[in-house]
Amino acid sequence: MKAHDGLYIDGAWRPAVGEDLIEVVNPADEQVVGHVPAGDAVDVDAAVRAARAALPAWAATPPAERAARLAALRDVLAARKDEIAETVTAELGSPLPFSQMVHAGVPIAVAGSYAELAATQAFEEKVGNSTVHHEPVGVVGAITPWNYPLHQIVAKVAPALAAGCTVVLKPAENTPITAQLFAEAAHEAGLPAGVFNLVTGLGPVVGQALAEHPDVDLVSFTGSTAVGKRIGALAGGAVKRVALELGGKSANVILPSADLAKAVNVGVANVMSNSGQTCSAWTRMLVHTDRYDEAVELAAAAAAKYGDRIGPVVSARQQERVRGYIDKGVAEGARLVAGGSESPREQGYFVSPTVFADVTPEMTIAQEEIFGPVLTILRYEDEEDALRIANGTVYGLAGAVWAGDDAEAVAFARRMETGQVDINGGRFNPVAPFGGYKQSGVGRELGAHGLAEYLQTKSFQF
């Protein structure tokens, strides 16, 4: 793994205007693995100008040809799957098998799905006496997080390219080398100069410049709700479109008829996946009072098995944040049944898999996104009580419902205020729409709904 010392703009690697560098640290051993340029507003302007210049030709490129370029991109990513996984592991600390399966495997599948959509999507339709054209929105500013570094890039860039947009990407500071690998793949796949551009740098500098730039037509951001609100305000000043995938505090509702052992074990695994650094994680487990004690016992035993199986959190700052939430949970009266705030290792930013029982809905750990391997278990009296608790946060990104049959689970899920619900352990679907209600965001990613975010409509009346 070798980091580039430049930015990818207009089809070539070029030096940043300034000389400042960002240090990339492996959170598992705290060793520096590389340095990348810290771009600034001047670099952003150069990238946006390149994207604007490339837009007319790329927007006019036949969808079948755009599909071919996306298929080539998928193939390059697939050929470099091992290198991608190793890079994510070095930057994020993720265990290599998880990096291979999820961090590399999922974005390859998503890229392939957009190659297919670009070839089959109807960009024109008849509505009465009108012909409606679906056209690219223009230049996209994509701002991505560190927790799923390649997946989040592909989930934004692939649909934007399929729609005929051009892109300037600002990746997270913690995982920028993965973004550089994507830029290499885009170049190798034959994307025309200026269609995809990469500017590494700090959020308050590069991210803000991208959100404010007058020639950026849409800002797509994934990250915290607080930063999403800031980006929305910046973009709103220019009446600029935004797509925001923000925080979550998802409920895992286990109805009395469910297979309790299965629901608890899958629920714990969901929270511990990626060291808890997943915005859609089911961090609140809701269990009927009659089976509550049994569920707590099962969850504590399941969490204990993850002690040496999960990686670190991304940084020392994130480690302190998560440990602070654990201490707050204890201080507010929750009962610690697994883990705790003490670091389990002398080196690396590790947090013990942690489970809290006797959590009440108003507690901080039941309301705020922790973004670490921390599960809270809440009891409910009946289904109406469970629904009130499930819907009782400012978030609405994801969730799960378990019941004796799918129909019972779906009946409950229909009343949940959330964008995606897994029914009795339903599998991840890379073409299903993903996005949130309430303060979990605006817009959708993945599949045809994700493509629609990058299109605008024009109608001709005859």
Side-chain angles (χ1 to χ4, degrees), residues 176-187:
I177 304 175
T178 300
Q180 291 184 338
L181 282 181
F182 179 84
E184 292 177 1
H187 188 89

Side-chain angles (χ1 to χ4, degrees), residues 84 86 106 148 392:
I84 291 167
E86 290 166 2
V106 171
Y148 290 92

Side-chain angles (χ1 to χ4, degrees), residues 330-379:
V330 172
E332 291 185 357
R335 177 164 55 98
L336 198 61
V337 296
S341 63
E342 291 298 317
S343 180
R345 304 191 194 183
E346 293 184 3
Q347 187 178 44
Y349 310 130
F350 290 87
V351 176
S352 295
T354 298
V355 177
F356 278 106
D358 299 339
V359 179
T360 56
E362 72 279 359
M363 288 182 179
T364 302
I365 58 172
Q367 289 291 321
E368 297 184 10
E369 185 175 44
I370 298 172
F371 228 59
V374 180
L375 170 67
T376 61
I377 310 180
L378 299 90
R379 69 174 76 233

Side-chain angles (χ1 to χ4, degrees), residues 247-290:
K249 195 68 182 175
S250 300
N252 179 17
V253 181
I254 304 175
L255 296 177
S257 62
D259 180 335
L260 185 66
K262 181 178 180 181
V264 170
N265 283 317
V266 174
V268 170
N270 176 278
V271 172
M272 301 307 159
S273 177
N274 208 39
S275 303
Q277 299 170 128
T278 303
C279 52
S280 57
W282 311 334
T283 52
R284 294 181 299 144
M285 181 179 289
L286 278 57
V287 185
H288 190 273
T289 187
D290 290 347

Side-chain angles (χ1 to χ4, degrees), residues 253-256 286-290 379-390 412 415:
V253 181
I254 304 175
L255 296 177
L286 278 57
V287 185
H288 190 273
T289 187
D290 290 347
R379 69 174 76 233
Y380 66 86
E381 299 296 329
D382 54 31
E383 283 198 15
E384 292 305 314
D385 190 34
L387 186 68
R388 176 185 62 80
I389 295 170
F412 186 94
R415 299 197 290 163

Side-chain angles (χ1 to χ4, degrees), residues 224-235:
S224 72
T225 296
V227 176
K229 289 178 179 179
R230 171 65 175 160
I231 287 173
L234 292 172

